Amino acid sequence: LPLPTHEEVLVCSDHTTAEEVILLWKRALGDPLCYRIFCLVNAEKLPYHSCEKALFELQQLSQRKRDYRIVIICSNEDEDKSHIVSKLQAYRRPVPGIHSDREFINYLKTHFIQECTEDSDSDTETTTSASSVDKERSCVRVVTSERAGMGKSLYIYRLTEDLMTKTSVGPHKVIIPIHGPKVTSDSVVNTLMNYCDNTNATIFHLDISPNVLRQLDSILFCLLVLQA
């Protein structure tokens, strides 16, 4: 199965607008083959006025239309605070069986692990991938520790050194600091856009501060899975 895309999933925050939600409705109801599942995630974070407007538009758009798939997901802890959940209570369904963590990991690996493309008879400067220095050839690697000073930066430095032995064309590493309580996936993407013309093998080091842990899951999901 392919990874979901940013067209199919909207991860809500306190700042998500009704217009963003309505665009998701329109994509779901206008899906020509009616086979994709569209998801509104963290629905409990939607502001009240955004919920009201989005629900009104959904009612208008879905009249006499049944062949669409929309799933609205919210946290169990905050569902009693969610206006959109209370309004759609009649459509509530039990959560189906969830795959194990190992199955999720294997699924992501099928998309993150890159096959070897280097050719000894060709110009390795143009064929070397940064994933070649990873132990599993994955283009994504999470490096964590319980406390500071445990060698995370050193590990990344060693990977960079290894990449430098494979290709002399830089930049070999770009550090993107992710600090502050108000960081979003959009702000990270805007920084990455500065390197969109870079075709060289590069390690992008997302240096994540502990004070962004609250929104870290959403940021990484948007960047790595939705790629947006």
Side-chain angles (χ1 to χ4, degrees):
L1 291 174
L3 290 171
T5 70
H6 65 280
E7 290 187 346
E8 300 163 340
V9 180
L10 176 60
V11 181
C12 299
S13 70
D14 297 335
H15 306 292
T16 301
T17 64
E19 287 70 25
E20 291 177 287
V21 181
I22 293 169
L23 283 175
L24 181 72
W25 301 156
K26 290 181 176 180
R27 287 194 292 267
L29 276 75
D31 187 27
L33 299 179
C34 304
Y35 70 92
R36 292 190 295 174
I37 298 174
F38 293 80
C39 295
L40 186 70
V41 183
N42 294 343
E44 74 281 357
K45 295 183 179 181
L46 274 178
Y48 179 87
H49 64 278
S50 295
C51 288
E52 282 290 293
K53 186 174 181 180
L55 287 172
F56 175 79
E57 289 295 327
L58 178 60
Q59 184 180 28
Q60 298 299 309
L61 293 169
S62 61
Q63 289 183 4
R64 298 182 299 277
K65 191 171 181 63
R66 294 291 181 267
D67 51 348
Y68 62 90
R69 299 179 179 184
I70 295 176
V71 176
I72 299 175
I73 301 173
C74 77
S75 166
N76 284 337
E77 298 175 357
D78 299 316
E79 63 176 318
D80 57 326
K81 304 176 185 177
S82 174
H83 182 62
I84 195 169
V85 171
S86 63
K87 285 284 189 177
L88 299 175
Q89 192 67 230
Y91 302 96
R92 184 169 182 164
R93 295 293 182 271
V95 178
I98 302 297
H99 293 289
S100 66
D101 288 347
R102 175 52 54 186
E103 288 175 305
F104 278 123
I105 290 172
N106 290 336
Y107 167 68
L108 290 175
K109 279 184 175 182
T110 63
H111 295 283
F112 290 159
I113 293 178
Q114 299 181 337
E115 297 297 328
C116 181
T117 58
E118 296 180 21
D119 187 346
S120 59
D121 296 329
S122 64
D123 183 3
T124 56
E125 299 291 357
T126 61
T127 58
T128 298
S129 168
S131 63
S132 63
V133 300
D134 183 76
K135 58 185 178 182
E136 294 182 298
R137 294 194 61 88
S138 175
C139 61
V140 176
R141 177 65 54 189
V142 179
V143 184
T144 64
S145 67
E146 294 295 328
R147 58 184 185 274
M150 297 301 293
K152 299 186 294 295
S153 296
L154 178 61
Y155 176 82
I156 298 169
Y157 177 76
R158 297 299 187 201
L159 291 179
T160 306
E161 281 189 326
D162 192 5
L163 183 61
M164 291 173 67
T165 65
K166 295 176 179 290
T167 173
S168 60
V169 180
H172 296 98
K173 182 175 72 171
V174 173
I175 299 177
I176 300 177
I178 303 180
H179 301 159
K182 295 184 179 180
V183 67
T184 65
S185 58
D186 287 343
S187 62
V188 180
V189 169
N190 288 335
T191 303
L192 289 171
M193 287 295 290
N194 296 325
Y195 305 94
C196 62
D197 294 330
N198 175 41
T199 58
N200 303 318
T202 304
I203 294 174
F204 288 91
H205 174 195
L206 304 183
D207 186 11
I208 301 173
S209 170
N211 64 354
V212 298
L213 291 180
R214 181 180 179 184
Q215 63 267 44
L216 180 59
D217 287 345
S218 294
I219 292 173
L220 293 180
F221 181 77
C222 290
L223 287 175
L224 304 177
V225 177
L226 301 183
Q227 300 180 25

